[in-house]
Amino acid sequence: MTLRKLSAVLALAISTSAFAQTAPVTMPVPDDATIPAGPVGDAIRRGKVILTDTKRQLPHNVGNGLNCTNCHLNGGTTAYASPWVGLTGAFPEYRSRSGKVISLQERVNDCFQRSMNGKPIAFDGDDMNAILAYMKWLSSGVPVGTNVAGRGFEKIDTALTPNSENGKAIYAQRCAACHGAEGQGVPNGQGGYAMPPLWGKDSFNVGAGMARMFTAAAFVKHNMPLGQGNTLTAQEAVDVAAFFTQQPRPDFAARANDWPKGGRPKDAR
């Protein structure tokens, strides 16, 4: 067997075998009171602060106005809002966008470069270790090799035909109050945003998962409007995502290297 074939087999095994025979478990969320004392507890708390106040904590790594928890809701503990619960037991993992097995550190930096339109953080630095410590603590109730119900985003019917004009009307009616009539978000008066911008220079770039229509629609369907999730139909979610994902936003030149082994989704930017 050639090295290339062996690599492909290993990638497939890592990505599928851990979860193939194990049903998803209910997502357990630990109480803050269980954060231990001492250096590890300090790192966990620091990780939570970074992820919930990312722009102010890491201004040199964040190129827009977003925090990680704008998408990973409630500190990464909300089902179908890409929760972090259980992630430390899921990585390394094969990612088709990367075309290889990647570490959790690489996945974190993917978000810094794409969703945060910024720069990666040091793999072995205090900030990365704090983020991983927080995610490991969140995952403490999930057995290694077990997926959690609610990981990622809710499934959406990708056969639906988007209507961006209808999406524009839905946006004005259901989304603009929080995200602004022009997608500019709502400033918090401290250099950041109380409600995140959905397009423009301070939003995620075209390489982010949320810039993909069906990915954004899946998030919207389950979670938006905030506090009123699942009040839009799947068609309405696809329509509004078709509208806002196609608005102007920063470019990401490295997206040309995505899906090197094929399988590029039809909504990839």
Side-chain angles (χ1 to χ4, degrees), residues 5 10 14 20 23 31 39 61 72 74 76 85 97 100 102 104 124 128 162 164 175 187 190 202 211 217 248:
K5 288 182 178 179
L10 177 61
I14 292 175
D31 191 282
N61 298 94
H72 306 269
N74 295 319
V85 179
R97 186 172 69 182
K100 63 179 183 178
I102 67 170
L104 186 52
D124 56 353
M128 179 67 82
S164 59
C175 313
Q190 300 174 335
D202 275 352

Side-chain angles (χ1 to χ4, degrees), residues 4 7-8 11 93-102 110 114 257-262:
R4 185 173 182 179
S7 177
E93 181 178 70
Y94 180 77
R95 302 281 296 179
S96 59
R97 186 172 69 182
S98 303
K100 63 179 183 178
V101 175
I102 67 170
D110 254 356
R114 297 167 184 264
N257 301 320
D258 291 346
W259 290 282
K261 297 183 179 179

Side-chain angles (χ1 to χ4, degrees), residues 120-263:
I121 61 178
F123 262 52
D124 56 353
D126 290 343
D127 294 327
M128 179 67 82
N129 284 334
I131 289 171
L132 296 182
Y134 177 67
M135 292 180 177
K136 182 179 179 180
W137 171 74
L138 280 183
S139 305
S140 57
V142 181
V144 173
T146 303
N147 215 341
V148 296
R151 185 185 173 189
F153 297 137
E154 182 180 304
K155 300 297 183 184
I156 198 87
D157 184 0
T158 59
L160 291 170
T161 300
N163 182 334
S164 59
E165 284 302 311
N166 186 49
K168 182 177 181 179
I170 293 170
Y171 181 87
Q173 296 166 1
R174 304 295 302 274
C175 313
C178 289
H179 296 289
E182 300 299 325
Q184 75 273 24
V186 177
N188 62 9
Q190 300 174 335
Y193 290 89
M195 292 294 176
L198 293 187
W199 64 85
K201 67 179 180 61
D202 275 352
S203 190
F204 47 88
N205 66 40
V206 296
M210 202 64 77
R212 290 175 49 192
M213 179 181 64
F214 288 113
T215 300
F219 177 82
V220 168
K221 173 67 173 64
H222 190 81
N223 301 292
M224 295 290 129
L226 192 62
Q228 302 173 45
N230 286 313
T231 59
L232 295 177
T233 66
Q235 182 67 63
E236 289 171 330
V238 168
D239 290 351
V240 75
F243 168 68
F244 75 77
T245 58
Q246 296 303 310
Q247 299 306 309
R249 63 185 67 259
D251 196 10
F252 182 65
R255 65 190 165 89
N257 301 320
D258 291 346
W259 290 282
K261 297 183 179 179

Side-chain angles (χ1 to χ4, degrees), residues 9-98:
V9 170
L10 177 61
L12 180 63
I14 292 175
S15 64
T16 61
S17 63
F19 303 128
Q21 305 299 324
T22 307
V25 299
T26 301
M27 188 171 68
V29 178
D31 191 282
D32 280 4
T34 66
I35 296 177
V40 171
D42 292 342
I44 292 169
R45 293 183 183 90
R46 170 63 180 160
K48 184 175 184 179
V49 169
I50 290 173
L51 294 167
T52 57
D53 191 27
T54 322
K55 174 66 174 179
R56 287 200 301 174
Q57 298 299 318
L58 299 178
H60 299 297
N61 298 94
V62 177
N64 54 27
L66 303 182
N67 297 316
C68 297
T69 48
N70 288 141
C71 294
H72 306 269
L73 301 179
N74 295 319
T77 64
T78 296
Y80 300 113
S82 201
W84 296 315
V85 179
L87 280 194
T88 52
F91 281 82
E93 181 178 70
Y94 180 77
R95 302 281 296 179
S96 59
R97 186 172 69 182
S98 303

